[in-house]
Every structure is written in structure tokens, then in C-alpha cells.
């Protein structure tokens, strides 16, 4: 989501496989990435392809099937999570139900500011550009 450079591969670790919720870093990381994904979808993210059977395995850099990663895999979420649409849900359904333009969305973010990123020198919009925008007072 965040990097699109060839040299920026993810680091192997405990959060790679399904035990990741047992890692304390999972809980602040997951909602942050989800928030970034919503922001990208609002701002023109257009590649919705879902490569099945291409999950990194816990065996290192092996690419193979890992249940829960394919678009049609049914996840063990509570059946009421995205009411009024009742589960069980596939990844593809969750992708559709979390679309920021979906009229029955169960929540929205109050802002998409990442002040710490801006302070580190990244563009305020997170989109590389020569345009300088300073509308902090309006947010």
C-alpha cells in the first residue's frame, strides 16, 4: 500500500501469517493501513486486481496458496459485522462493503491527516506533486 519501489519489500516477521493478531504491533498497524487504503480509494486508487494463490508463505519468499488471502476465501468474521449485508463474508465482499462510496458504510474517518508524515517531509496529500498546499486551518 505505502511503497511502490522495488527495493522496499516487507520485512519477514511474526505479522506475516495468521498468528499476527498475537503480535502487539498488529493492532496499531492494521487500522492505520486500512485508513490509508480508504484514503487511496477516495483519491483514485484504480488497481483492484486480486492475485489469487500469490501470498507470501511463512517459509520465506515462497509464493503459494494461503487460506484467507484469496478473493473468494470466506473469512471467520461475525455474520453481522457489515449489516445489513449478513455474512459469512469473502475478501471480495469485504472489499466491496468497505468501499468509501458505499451508502451503507458502518463508519467513516473524520480526517485523513498524517501530520507526522508531513513533519518528516512527505507531501501533505501523500501524492507526489510540485504543488504546495497549506489548508491546515480548513481541516
Amino acid at each position: 500500500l505505502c511503497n511502490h519501489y522495488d527495493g522496499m519489500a516487507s520485512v519477514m516477521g511474526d505479522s506475516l501469517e495468521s498468528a499476527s493478531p498475537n503480535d502487539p504491533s498488529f493492532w496499531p498497524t492494521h487500522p492505520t493501513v486500512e485508513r490509508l487504503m480508504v484514503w487511496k480509494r477516495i483519491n483514485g486508487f484504480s488497481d483492484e486486481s486480486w492475485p489469487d494463490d500469490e501470498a507470501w508463505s511463512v517459509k520465506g519468499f515462497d509464493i503459494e496458496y494461503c487460506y484467507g488471502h484469496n478473493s473468494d476465501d470466506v473469512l471467520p468474521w461475525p455474520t453481522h459485522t457489515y449489516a445489513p449485508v449478513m455474512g459469512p463474508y469473502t475478501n471480495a465482499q469485504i472489499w466491496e462493503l468497505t468501499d468509501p462510496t458505499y451508502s451503507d458504510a458502518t463508519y467513516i474517518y473524520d480526517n485523513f491527516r498524517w501530520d507526522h508524515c508531513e513533519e518528516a517531509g512527505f507531501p501533505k496529500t501523500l501524492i507526489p506533486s510540485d504543488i504546495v498546499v497549506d489548508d491546515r486551518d480548513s481541516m
Side-chain angles (χ1 to χ4, degrees), residues 56-76:
W56 275 14
S57 76
V58 294
K59 300 174 191 171
F61 289 93
D62 291 345
I63 304 294
E64 59 187 41
Y65 175 72
C66 181
Y67 184 79
H69 290 96
N70 285 353
S71 61
D72 291 326
D73 287 350
V74 177
L75 303 176

PDB file of all heavy atoms in Angstrom, residues 56-76:
ATOM      1  N   TRP A  56       2.689 -14.539   0.259  1.00  0.00           N
ATOM      2  CA  TRP A  56       3.977 -14.959   0.804  1.00  0.00           C
ATOM      3  C   TRP A  56       3.709 -15.965   1.899  1.00  0.00           C
ATOM      4  O   TRP A  56       2.845 -15.762   2.746  1.00  0.00           O
ATOM      5  CB  TRP A  56       4.710 -13.771   1.390  1.00  0.00           C
ATOM      6  CG  TRP A  56       5.505 -12.995   0.410  1.00  0.00           C
ATOM      7  CD1 TRP A  56       5.432 -13.076  -0.944  1.00  0.00           C
ATOM      8  CD2 TRP A  56       6.477 -12.010   0.701  1.00  0.00           C
ATOM      9  NE1 TRP A  56       6.302 -12.199  -1.514  1.00  0.00           N
ATOM     10  CE2 TRP A  56       6.963 -11.530  -0.518  1.00  0.00           C
ATOM     11  CE3 TRP A  56       6.975 -11.483   1.870  1.00  0.00           C
ATOM     12  CZ2 TRP A  56       7.925 -10.560  -0.602  1.00  0.00           C
ATOM     13  CZ3 TRP A  56       7.939 -10.512   1.785  1.00  0.00           C
ATOM     14  CH2 TRP A  56       8.416 -10.049   0.565  1.00  0.00           C
ATOM     15  N   SER A  57       4.442 -17.026   1.897  1.00  0.00           N
ATOM     16  CA  SER A  57       4.251 -18.036   2.935  1.00  0.00           C
ATOM     17  C   SER A  57       5.201 -17.781   4.091  1.00  0.00           C
ATOM     18  O   SER A  57       6.111 -16.962   4.003  1.00  0.00           O
ATOM     19  CB  SER A  57       4.498 -19.430   2.361  1.00  0.00           C
ATOM     20  OG  SER A  57       5.878 -19.655   2.219  1.00  0.00           O
ATOM     21  N   VAL A  58       4.977 -18.504   5.185  1.00  0.00           N
ATOM     22  CA  VAL A  58       5.861 -18.382   6.337  1.00  0.00           C
ATOM     23  C   VAL A  58       7.180 -19.108   6.100  1.00  0.00           C
ATOM     24  O   VAL A  58       8.050 -19.118   6.944  1.00  0.00           O
ATOM     25  CB  VAL A  58       5.190 -18.917   7.620  1.00  0.00           C
ATOM     26  CG1 VAL A  58       4.026 -18.045   7.994  1.00  0.00           C
ATOM     27  CG2 VAL A  58       4.753 -20.355   7.448  1.00  0.00           C
ATOM     28  N   LYS A  59       7.332 -19.701   4.919  1.00  0.00           N
ATOM     29  CA  LYS A  59       8.559 -20.410   4.583  1.00  0.00           C
ATOM     30  C   LYS A  59       9.604 -19.480   3.976  1.00  0.00           C
ATOM     31  O   LYS A  59      10.587 -19.921   3.417  1.00  0.00           O
ATOM     32  CB  LYS A  59       8.254 -21.542   3.597  1.00  0.00           C
ATOM     33  CG  LYS A  59       7.291 -22.571   4.126  1.00  0.00           C
ATOM     34  CD  LYS A  59       6.932 -23.556   3.039  1.00  0.00           C
ATOM     35  CE  LYS A  59       5.786 -24.433   3.463  1.00  0.00           C
ATOM     36  NZ  LYS A  59       5.280 -25.236   2.354  1.00  0.00           N
ATOM     37  N   GLY A  60       9.369 -18.212   4.038  1.00  0.00           N
ATOM     38  CA  GLY A  60      10.315 -17.263   3.452  1.00  0.00           C
ATOM     39  C   GLY A  60       9.684 -16.592   2.257  1.00  0.00           C
ATOM     40  O   GLY A  60       8.577 -16.088   2.339  1.00  0.00           O
ATOM     41  N   PHE A  61      10.356 -16.610   1.128  1.00  0.00           N
ATOM     42  CA  PHE A  61       9.864 -15.926  -0.055  1.00  0.00           C
ATOM     43  C   PHE A  61       9.071 -16.846  -0.977  1.00  0.00           C
ATOM     44  O   PHE A  61       8.831 -16.504  -2.125  1.00  0.00           O
ATOM     45  CB  PHE A  61      11.031 -15.287  -0.814  1.00  0.00           C
ATOM     46  CG  PHE A  61      11.601 -14.102  -0.083  1.00  0.00           C
ATOM     47  CD1 PHE A  61      12.679 -14.262   0.774  1.00  0.00           C
ATOM     48  CD2 PHE A  61      11.055 -12.854  -0.226  1.00  0.00           C
ATOM     49  CE1 PHE A  61      13.208 -13.184   1.459  1.00  0.00           C
ATOM     50  CE2 PHE A  61      11.561 -11.766   0.444  1.00  0.00           C
ATOM     51  CZ  PHE A  61      12.650 -11.926   1.300  1.00  0.00           C
ATOM     52  N   ASP A  62       8.649 -18.021  -0.484  1.00  0.00           N
ATOM     53  CA  ASP A  62       7.823 -18.911  -1.295  1.00  0.00           C
ATOM     54  C   ASP A  62       6.460 -18.270  -1.528  1.00  0.00           C
ATOM     55  O   ASP A  62       5.866 -17.696  -0.617  1.00  0.00           O
ATOM     56  CB  ASP A  62       7.617 -20.262  -0.596  1.00  0.00           C
ATOM     57  CG  ASP A  62       8.882 -21.091  -0.526  1.00  0.00           C
ATOM     58  OD1 ASP A  62       9.834 -20.761  -1.262  1.00  0.00           O
ATOM     59  OD2 ASP A  62       8.912 -22.047   0.258  1.00  0.00           O
ATOM     60  N   ILE A  63       5.978 -18.360  -2.741  1.00  0.00           N
ATOM     61  CA  ILE A  63       4.662 -17.840  -3.088  1.00  0.00           C
ATOM     62  C   ILE A  63       3.750 -19.045  -3.277  1.00  0.00           C
ATOM     63  O   ILE A  63       4.046 -19.944  -4.054  1.00  0.00           O
ATOM     64  CB  ILE A  63       4.704 -17.020  -4.401  1.00  0.00           C
ATOM     65  CG1 ILE A  63       5.730 -15.887  -4.298  1.00  0.00           C
ATOM     66  CG2 ILE A  63       3.334 -16.493  -4.763  1.00  0.00           C
ATOM     67  CD1 ILE A  63       5.405 -14.820  -3.289  1.00  0.00           C
ATOM     68  N   GLU A  64       2.635 -19.058  -2.564  1.00  0.00           N
ATOM     69  CA  GLU A  64       1.723 -20.193  -2.657  1.00  0.00           C
ATOM     70  C   GLU A  64       0.365 -19.795  -2.104  1.00  0.00           C
ATOM     71  O   GLU A  64       0.141 -18.660  -1.720  1.00  0.00           O
ATOM     72  CB  GLU A  64       2.289 -21.390  -1.881  1.00  0.00           C
ATOM     73  CG  GLU A  64       2.534 -21.100  -0.414  1.00  0.00           C
ATOM     74  CD  GLU A  64       3.241 -22.250   0.290  1.00  0.00           C
ATOM     75  OE1 GLU A  64       4.165 -22.848  -0.279  1.00  0.00           O
ATOM     76  OE2 GLU A  64       2.845 -22.547   1.415  1.00  0.00           O
ATOM     77  N   TYR A  65      -0.533 -20.757  -2.081  1.00  0.00           N
ATOM     78  CA  TYR A  65      -1.861 -20.516  -1.539  1.00  0.00           C
ATOM     79  C   TYR A  65      -1.795 -20.453  -0.025  1.00  0.00           C
ATOM     80  O   TYR A  65      -1.146 -21.270   0.624  1.00  0.00           O
ATOM     81  CB  TYR A  65      -2.820 -21.642  -1.951  1.00  0.00           C
ATOM     82  CG  TYR A  65      -4.186 -21.506  -1.318  1.00  0.00           C
ATOM     83  CD1 TYR A  65      -5.045 -20.509  -1.736  1.00  0.00           C
ATOM     84  CD2 TYR A  65      -4.601 -22.348  -0.294  1.00  0.00           C
ATOM     85  CE1 TYR A  65      -6.290 -20.355  -1.161  1.00  0.00           C
ATOM     86  CE2 TYR A  65      -5.844 -22.211   0.289  1.00  0.00           C
ATOM     87  CZ  TYR A  65      -6.687 -21.205  -0.151  1.00  0.00           C
ATOM     88  OH  TYR A  65      -7.914 -21.058   0.429  1.00  0.00           O
ATOM     89  N   CYS A  66      -2.453 -19.473   0.552  1.00  0.00           N
ATOM     90  CA  CYS A  66      -2.557 -19.338   1.998  1.00  0.00           C
ATOM     91  C   CYS A  66      -4.004 -18.982   2.282  1.00  0.00           C
ATOM     92  O   CYS A  66      -4.474 -17.909   1.891  1.00  0.00           O
ATOM     93  CB  CYS A  66      -1.602 -18.259   2.502  1.00  0.00           C
ATOM     94  SG  CYS A  66      -1.656 -18.040   4.281  1.00  0.00           S
ATOM     95  N   TYR A  67      -4.732 -19.895   2.932  1.00  0.00           N
ATOM     96  CA  TYR A  67      -6.162 -19.680   3.155  1.00  0.00           C
ATOM     97  C   TYR A  67      -6.403 -18.342   3.859  1.00  0.00           C
ATOM     98  O   TYR A  67      -5.721 -17.992   4.812  1.00  0.00           O
ATOM     99  CB  TYR A  67      -6.781 -20.807   3.998  1.00  0.00           C
ATOM    100  CG  TYR A  67      -8.272 -20.603   4.124  1.00  0.00           C
ATOM    101  CD1 TYR A  67      -9.106 -20.961   3.079  1.00  0.00           C
ATOM    102  CD2 TYR A  67      -8.818 -19.993   5.234  1.00  0.00           C
ATOM    103  CE1 TYR A  67     -10.469 -20.740   3.155  1.00  0.00           C
ATOM    104  CE2 TYR A  67     -10.173 -19.761   5.320  1.00  0.00           C
ATOM    105  CZ  TYR A  67     -10.992 -20.134   4.284  1.00  0.00           C
ATOM    106  OH  TYR A  67     -12.336 -19.901   4.359  1.00  0.00           O
ATOM    107  N   GLY A  68      -7.376 -17.631   3.352  1.00  0.00           N
ATOM    108  CA  GLY A  68      -7.729 -16.338   3.900  1.00  0.00           C
ATOM    109  C   GLY A  68      -7.191 -15.170   3.102  1.00  0.00           C
ATOM    110  O   GLY A  68      -7.537 -14.032   3.363  1.00  0.00           O
ATOM    111  N   HIS A  69      -6.352 -15.461   2.092  1.00  0.00           N
ATOM    112  CA  HIS A  69      -5.770 -14.393   1.292  1.00  0.00           C
ATOM    113  C   HIS A  69      -6.388 -14.263  -0.096  1.00  0.00           C
ATOM    114  O   HIS A  69      -6.248 -13.223  -0.729  1.00  0.00           O
ATOM    115  CB  HIS A  69      -4.252 -14.599   1.155  1.00  0.00           C
ATOM    116  CG  HIS A  69      -3.523 -14.365   2.431  1.00  0.00           C
ATOM    117  ND1 HIS A  69      -3.173 -15.374   3.288  1.00  0.00           N
ATOM    118  CD2 HIS A  69      -3.081 -13.221   3.006  1.00  0.00           C
ATOM    119  CE1 HIS A  69      -2.555 -14.871   4.331  1.00  0.00           C
ATOM    120  NE2 HIS A  69      -2.478 -13.558   4.186  1.00  0.00           N
ATOM    121  N   ASN A  70      -7.037 -15.277  -0.597  1.00  0.00           N
ATOM    122  CA  ASN A  70      -7.636 -15.202  -1.929  1.00  0.00           C
ATOM    123  C   ASN A  70      -8.958 -14.440  -1.886  1.00  0.00           C
ATOM    124  O   ASN A  70      -9.619 -14.369  -0.848  1.00  0.00           O
ATOM    125  CB  ASN A  70      -7.856 -16.593  -2.507  1.00  0.00           C
ATOM    126  CG  ASN A  70      -6.566 -17.235  -2.987  1.00  0.00           C
ATOM    127  OD1 ASN A  70      -5.518 -16.608  -3.015  1.00  0.00           O
ATOM    128  ND2 ASN A  70      -6.642 -18.491  -3.362  1.00  0.00           N
ATOM    129  N   SER A  71      -9.367 -13.901  -3.016  1.00  0.00           N
ATOM    130  CA  SER A  71     -10.568 -13.066  -3.064  1.00  0.00           C
ATOM    131  C   SER A  71     -11.837 -13.808  -2.657  1.00  0.00           C
ATOM    132  O   SER A  71     -12.715 -13.227  -2.021  1.00  0.00           O
ATOM    133  CB  SER A  71     -10.741 -12.459  -4.455  1.00  0.00           C
ATOM    134  OG  SER A  71     -10.878 -13.478  -5.422  1.00  0.00           O
ATOM    135  N   ASP A  72     -11.943 -15.082  -2.990  1.00  0.00           N
ATOM    136  CA  ASP A  72     -13.164 -15.822  -2.667  1.00  0.00           C
ATOM    137  C   ASP A  72     -13.077 -16.637  -1.377  1.00  0.00           C
ATOM    138  O   ASP A  72     -14.000 -17.381  -1.046  1.00  0.00           O
ATOM    139  CB  ASP A  72     -13.535 -16.749  -3.829  1.00  0.00           C
ATOM    140  CG  ASP A  72     -13.984 -15.955  -5.048  1.00  0.00           C
ATOM    141  OD1 ASP A  72     -14.608 -14.877  -4.869  1.00  0.00           O
ATOM    142  OD2 ASP A  72     -13.702 -16.386  -6.174  1.00  0.00           O
ATOM    143  N   ASP A  73     -11.995 -16.504  -0.624  1.00  0.00           N
ATOM    144  CA  ASP A  73     -11.897 -17.195   0.661  1.00  0.00           C
ATOM    145  C   ASP A  73     -12.889 -16.584   1.642  1.00  0.00           C
ATOM    146  O   ASP A  73     -12.999 -15.358   1.758  1.00  0.00           O
ATOM    147  CB  ASP A  73     -10.486 -17.076   1.243  1.00  0.00           C
ATOM    148  CG  ASP A  73      -9.471 -17.943   0.516  1.00  0.00           C
ATOM    149  OD1 ASP A  73      -9.891 -18.783  -0.310  1.00  0.00           O
ATOM    150  OD2 ASP A  73      -8.263 -17.774   0.764  1.00  0.00           O
ATOM    151  N   VAL A  74     -13.626 -17.447   2.342  1.00  0.00           N
ATOM    152  CA  VAL A  74     -14.595 -16.999   3.342  1.00  0.00           C
ATOM    153  C   VAL A  74     -13.848 -16.812   4.659  1.00  0.00           C
ATOM    154  O   VAL A  74     -13.126 -17.690   5.111  1.00  0.00           O
ATOM    155  CB  VAL A  74     -15.733 -18.024   3.502  1.00  0.00           C
ATOM    156  CG1 VAL A  74     -16.688 -17.588   4.604  1.00  0.00           C
ATOM    157  CG2 VAL A  74     -16.478 -18.183   2.180  1.00  0.00           C
ATOM    158  N   LEU A  75     -14.045 -15.653   5.260  1.00  0.00           N
ATOM    159  CA  LEU A  75     -13.333 -15.313   6.486  1.00  0.00           C
ATOM    160  C   LEU A  75     -14.212 -15.558   7.714  1.00  0.00           C
ATOM    161  O   LEU A  75     -15.427 -15.490   7.636  1.00  0.00           O
ATOM    162  CB  LEU A  75     -12.894 -13.849   6.435  1.00  0.00           C
ATOM    163  CG  LEU A  75     -12.014 -13.503   5.237  1.00  0.00           C
ATOM    164  CD1 LEU A  75     -11.717 -12.015   5.214  1.00  0.00           C
ATOM    165  CD2 LEU A  75     -10.725 -14.299   5.277  1.00  0.00           C
ATOM    166  N   PRO A  76     -13.599 -15.794   8.863  1.00  0.00           N
ATOM    167  CA  PRO A  76     -14.359 -16.107  10.078  1.00  0.00           C
ATOM    168  C   PRO A  76     -14.832 -14.867  10.829  1.00  0.00           C
ATOM    169  O   PRO A  76     -14.727 -14.795  12.046  1.00  0.00           O
ATOM    170  CB  PRO A  76     -13.343 -16.909  10.900  1.00  0.00           C
ATOM    171  CG  PRO A  76     -12.025 -16.309  10.535  1.00  0.00           C
ATOM    172  CD  PRO A  76     -12.149 -15.973   9.071  1.00  0.00           C
TER     173      PRO A  76
END
